[in-house]
């Protein structure tokens, strides 16, 4: 009888232990290749260290990785408040070292379109070996390592024996924030950048100005924000703010691509820059309202040239988004001076030719500044003469429509960024992340060479109904679906039912890291959001 009771107690203990040490659901986004063993190792914060490998081209003093080691120590051991304070160490704990070896030097630069984000990670008893070509790949590997660590109900930390070979499917994995329709405080942008790094996004598309407000504080044209921002002191981004965003991004391997959209979406510009916008007419007299940028005046191009010269000096990335979407022609059509210019240029009554004239001038301007232009798809649709290196961003249409657009664009030899299916400012009841997850960016009619011209995709969070109060829960974890589609092997990640428990687990990780990610369905996280 006692023997039976002992067996039952032992079985219960084993079941209890298997429950309390819940296995982690791996890494999000899913690595290209993963081998994980049931063999696990206990980690002690006091006996855990990051070091540079003896063959590493970067050493102590590398700004990006020195900061990352400190950041990821806190992420891996969230309960370990201060490593400098004495904590009891159990004798059975063994030391664990993470050795990072980077093949190429370069810690002080910025990530770019050619950055190598690949890495290899090997976890075994007492050590993890992380190897990468660049520091940007090392950052991705550190993120994956951090997600492999898990805790039991008693607070002990574990990691399993693991082998990972990983690299991104697409080089451009972007997220757009709109800071014109609602001003987003700096802390909200920085927190978004943190969350982006957890999902391996690598491009912050900063739609910084638009019709409602002009929060960018220009050195050359201070009246743009003085008169065009919601408030000239509290609702602006100073040059110091922008440098902080760019540096915060750099330290996480994220590029900052600013957008200054014109000739439409510029109502706020006109408040601080006289004669920039086109006066609208009612009959033979001005109506008092204004339309898009006036493309007929030399002063317009002088202004835009000076503005983009400043943008080049402020934003180090080689890309700049110059917009070109949703231009209403009604104001141009009403203005007799514009009509006379159209006649002089031989454009007839085709106002798409006038927009083409303007956009071609802006694209030539940015090319002179050695910037690669990104434009919205409207510019291509108007059959404008687009420089071959211009990147086209698709933002509208049904699945069939944007697939046909991708076929046309890539056939013309242009690189493409897909955003249309990932406008996640649109919300619906239920698990709409499943739709985002099912998108296949290269599923369109075209050759293999055409499909290689799809350089990635972008999640867009437009700001009509979004500010700092709801930005984070509306973005996360819904944006994570696109993050995995853009990083991982599509063939391994098309099943949303298999992805669901992994995404639930990752959402809980985000909560633990202070990201207020909304729930995916009924359930709980062991560590609920605590208001950090």
């Amino acid at each position: 009888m006692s023997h039976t009771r002992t067996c039952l107690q032992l079985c219960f203990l084993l079941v209890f232990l298997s429950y309390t040490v819940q296995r982690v659901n791996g890494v999000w986004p899913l690595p290209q290749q993963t081998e994980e063993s049931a063999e696990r190792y206990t980690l002690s914060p006091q006996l855990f260290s990051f070091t540079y490998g003896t063959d590493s081209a970067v050493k102590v003093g590398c700004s990006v990785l020195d900061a990352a080691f400190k950041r990821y120590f806190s992420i891996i051991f969230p309960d370990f408040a201060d490593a400098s304070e004495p904590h009891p160490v159990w004798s059975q704990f063994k030391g664990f070292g993470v050795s990072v070896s980077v093949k190429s030097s370069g810690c002080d630069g910025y990530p770019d379109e050619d950055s190598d984000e690949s890495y290899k990670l090997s976890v075994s008893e007492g050590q993890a070996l992380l190897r990468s070509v660049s520091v940007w790949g090392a950052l991705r590997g550190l993120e994956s390592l951090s997600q492999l660590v898990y805790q039991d109900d008693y607070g002990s930390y574990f990691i399993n024996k693991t082998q990972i070979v990983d690299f991104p499917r697409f080089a451009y994995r972007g997220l757009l924030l709109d800071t014109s329709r609602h001003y987003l405080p700096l802390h909200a942008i920085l927190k978004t950048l943190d969350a982006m790094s957890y999902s391996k996004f690598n491009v912050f598309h900063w739609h910084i100005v638009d019709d409602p407000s002009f929060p960018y504080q220009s050195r050359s044209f201070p009246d743009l924000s003085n008169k065009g921002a919601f408030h000239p002191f509290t609702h602006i981004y100073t040059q110091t703010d922008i440098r902080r965003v760019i540096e915060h991004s750099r330290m996480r391997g994220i590029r900052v691509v600013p957008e200054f959209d014109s000739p439409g979406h510029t109502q706020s510009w006109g408040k601080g820059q006289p004669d920039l916008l086109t006066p609208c007419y009612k009959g033979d007299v001005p109506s008092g309202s204004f339309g898009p940028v006036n493309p007929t005046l030399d002063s317009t191009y002088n202004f835009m040239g000076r503005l983009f010269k400043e943008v080049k000096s402020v934003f180090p990335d080689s890309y700049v988004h110059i917009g070109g979407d949703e231009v209403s022609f009604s104001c141009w059509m009403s203005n007799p001076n514009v009509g006379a210019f159209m006649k002089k240029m031989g454009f007839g009554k085709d106002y798409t030719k006038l927009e083409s004239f303007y956009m071609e001038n802006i694209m030539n301007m940015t090319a002179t500044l050695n910037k690669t232009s990104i434009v919205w798809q409207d510019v291509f649709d108007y059959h404008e003469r687009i420089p071959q290196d211009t990147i086209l961003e698709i933002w509208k249409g049904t699945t069939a429509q944007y697939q046909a657009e991708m076929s046309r664009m890539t056939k013309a030899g242009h690189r493409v960024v897909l955003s249309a299916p990932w406008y996640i400012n649109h919300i619906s009841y239920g698990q709409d992340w499943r739709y985002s997850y099912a998108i296949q960016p290269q599923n369109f009619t075209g050759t293999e060479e055409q499909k290689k011209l799809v350089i990635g995709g972008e999640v867009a969070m437009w700001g009509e109904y979004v500010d700092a109060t709801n930005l984070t829960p509306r973005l996360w974890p819904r944006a994570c679906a696109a993050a995995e589609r853009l990083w991982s092997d599509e063939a391994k990640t098309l099943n949303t039912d298999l992805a669901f428990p992994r995404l639930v687990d990752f959402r809980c990780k985000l909560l633990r890291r202070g990201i207020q990610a909304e729930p995916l369905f009924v359930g709980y996280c062991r560590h609920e959001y605590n208001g950090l």
Side-chain angles (χ1 to χ4, degrees):
M1 185 72 177
S2 61
H3 177 72
T4 304
R5 185 183 296 113
T6 302
C7 288
L8 287 171
Q9 289 172 336
L10 182 60
C11 290
F12 175 78
L13 179 61
L14 290 172
V15 169
F16 178 75
L17 287 173
S18 68
Y19 171 76
T20 55
V21 186
Q22 294 180 357
R23 278 295 302 117
V24 71
N25 280 299
V27 176
W28 190 285
L30 188 72
Q32 301 291 337
Q33 299 174 33
T34 306
E35 293 180 18
E36 192 173 16
S37 164
E39 184 178 339
R40 65 186 176 94
Y41 317 111
T42 305
L43 302 180
S44 166
Q46 298 94 331
L47 300 175
F48 185 97
S49 63
F50 290 103
T51 59
Y52 291 94
T54 55
D55 61 342
S56 178
V58 300
K59 305 290 185 182
V60 174
C62 173
S63 59
V64 171
L65 292 185
D66 285 356
F69 292 165
K70 293 178 181 177
R71 190 167 68 248
Y72 276 105
F73 184 90
S74 298
I75 288 172
I76 291 170
F77 302 111
D79 295 329
F80 195 72
D82 187 351
S84 65
E85 294 180 3
H87 289 75
V89 182
W90 293 1
S91 59
Q92 69 265 37
F93 283 167
K94 296 180 180 179
F96 193 94
V98 180
S99 175
V100 179
S101 293
V102 180
K103 186 176 181 180
S104 60
S105 59
C107 290
D108 299 322
Y110 294 89
D112 59 34
E113 59 189 299
D114 297 318
S115 293
D116 189 324
E117 297 175 276
S118 65
Y119 68 92
K120 295 179 181 179
L121 178 64
S122 174
V123 179
S124 56
E125 185 173 8
Q127 66 176 353
L129 302 178
L130 173 58
R131 306 188 72 85
S132 67
V133 174
S134 72
V135 293
W136 317 120
L139 287 177
R140 306 300 174 232
L142 289 170
E143 175 57 41
S144 294
L145 175 73
S146 74
Q147 293 185 32
L148 293 174
V149 178
Y150 58 101
Q151 280 182 284
D152 65 9
D153 283 341
Y154 301 99
S156 296
Y157 294 94
F158 301 92
I159 191 169
N160 283 46
K161 185 176 182 178
T162 308
Q163 300 282 336
I164 292 176
V165 177
D166 203 12
F167 53 87
R169 179 184 176 197
F170 292 105
Y172 187 110
R173 305 179 306 283
L175 187 149
L176 176 150
L177 290 185
D178 168 11
T179 58
S180 173
R181 290 172 176 83
H182 281 98
Y183 177 81
L184 294 175
L186 194 61
H187 70 82
I189 296 175
L190 299 181
K191 178 169 276 194
T192 300
L193 292 166
D194 290 342
M196 286 174 64
S197 71
Y198 303 151
S199 291
K200 299 187 174 74
F201 281 107
N202 70 341
V203 179
F204 171 36
H205 175 174
W206 194 350
H207 189 87
I208 192 167
V209 297
D210 206 298
D211 280 329
S213 73
F214 198 106
Y216 171 76
Q217 189 178 59
S218 168
R219 293 191 302 254
S220 307
F221 303 100
D223 275 351
L224 288 172
S225 59
N226 286 341
K227 297 179 180 179
F230 287 135
H231 190 284
F233 305 128
T234 60
H235 286 58
I236 60 170
Y237 301 108
T238 66
Q239 295 291 315
T240 300
D241 293 334
I242 292 165
R243 283 194 296 270
R244 187 172 174 191
V245 167
I246 291 170
E247 183 63 9
H248 196 88
S249 301
R250 184 183 82 87
M251 299 297 274
R252 288 153 183 78
I254 297 171
R255 302 163 59 191
V256 180
V257 176
E259 180 181 358
F260 289 83
D261 189 358
S262 70
H265 293 280
T266 48
Q267 288 298 298
S268 66
W269 302 41
K271 296 175 183 178
Q273 185 63 23
D275 302 323
L276 177 66
L277 303 185
T278 306
C280 305
Y281 275 66
K282 189 172 184 179
D284 296 330
V285 295
S287 66
S289 62
F290 295 87
V293 165
N294 191 334
T296 70
L297 302 178
D298 289 342
S299 59
T300 291
Y301 301 102
N302 292 334
F303 164 77
M304 295 299 290
R306 287 182 62 193
L307 178 64
F308 278 111
K309 188 174 181 181
E310 177 182 318
V311 168
K312 174 184 171 65
S313 71
V314 173
F315 294 92
D317 200 84
S318 61
Y319 289 1
V320 62
H321 206 303
I322 59 174
D325 64 317
E326 295 185 310
V327 181
S328 172
F329 298 147
S330 59
C331 187
W332 284 348
M333 293 169 70
S334 76
N335 187 296
N337 296 320
V338 173
F341 183 83
M342 293 276 289
K343 185 176 180 180
K344 174 186 171 185
M345 298 298 293
F347 294 162
K349 297 292 184 181
D350 187 353
Y351 284 86
T352 65
K353 291 182 179 178
L354 182 59
E355 186 189 354
S356 298
F357 173 81
Y358 173 82
M359 289 303 297
E360 287 163 18
N361 272 283
I362 301 302
M363 286 185 282
N364 290 336
M365 196 179 291
T366 54
T368 301
L369 294 169
N370 293 318
K371 289 281 191 180
T372 298
S373 294
I374 307 179
V375 296
W376 297 110
Q377 69 184 82
D378 312 49
V379 178
F380 176 81
D381 294 341
Y382 288 147
H383 308 292
E384 299 171 20
R385 293 190 294 273
I386 304 172
Q388 198 63 42
D389 68 340
T390 303
I391 297 168
L392 308 177
E393 182 163 9
I394 298 178
W395 68 273
K396 59 184 176 178
T398 63
T399 301
Q401 287 170 332
Y402 72 67
Q403 288 174 342
E405 185 84 335
M406 294 175 86
S407 294
R408 290 190 292 268
M409 289 175 170
T410 55
K411 189 174 183 179
H414 288 291
R415 290 175 291 171
V416 174
V417 170
L418 179 64
S419 189
W422 290 313
Y423 268 42
I424 65 172
N425 50 291
H426 295 289
I427 56 175
S428 60
Y429 188 79
Q431 298 185 36
D432 59 355
W433 70 270
R434 290 177 181 266
Y435 169 74
S436 295
Y437 195 78
I439 301 303
Q440 296 175 274
Q442 292 176 318
N443 184 20
F444 61 90
T445 303
T447 64
E448 286 305 308
E449 289 304 309
Q450 281 180 253
K451 295 186 179 186
K452 288 177 183 176
L453 290 172
V454 180
I455 62 171
E458 185 167 273
V459 169
M461 182 54 70
W462 295 99
E464 288 89 350
Y465 304 99
V466 175
D467 66 6
T469 65
N470 62 347
L471 171 67
T472 300
R474 189 160 293 189
L475 265 177
W476 313 106
R478 295 163 70 234
C480 303
E484 182 150 287
R485 178 58 57 243
L486 294 169
W487 179 280
S488 306
D489 184 336
E490 187 173 280
K492 296 178 181 177
T493 53
L494 279 177
N495 189 317
T496 55
D497 291 333
L498 292 177
F500 178 73
R502 296 177 46 246
L503 187 53
V504 168
D505 178 77
F506 185 60
R507 183 251 172 180
C508 291
K509 289 188 174 84
L510 292 177
L511 292 188
R512 191 80 192 275
R513 298 180 184 195
I515 304 299
Q516 198 171 355
E518 69 178 16
L520 290 155
F521 195 56
V522 176
Y524 79 104
C525 291
R526 182 182 296 173
H527 301 279
E528 298 289 359
Y529 181 72
N530 61 9
L532 288 176

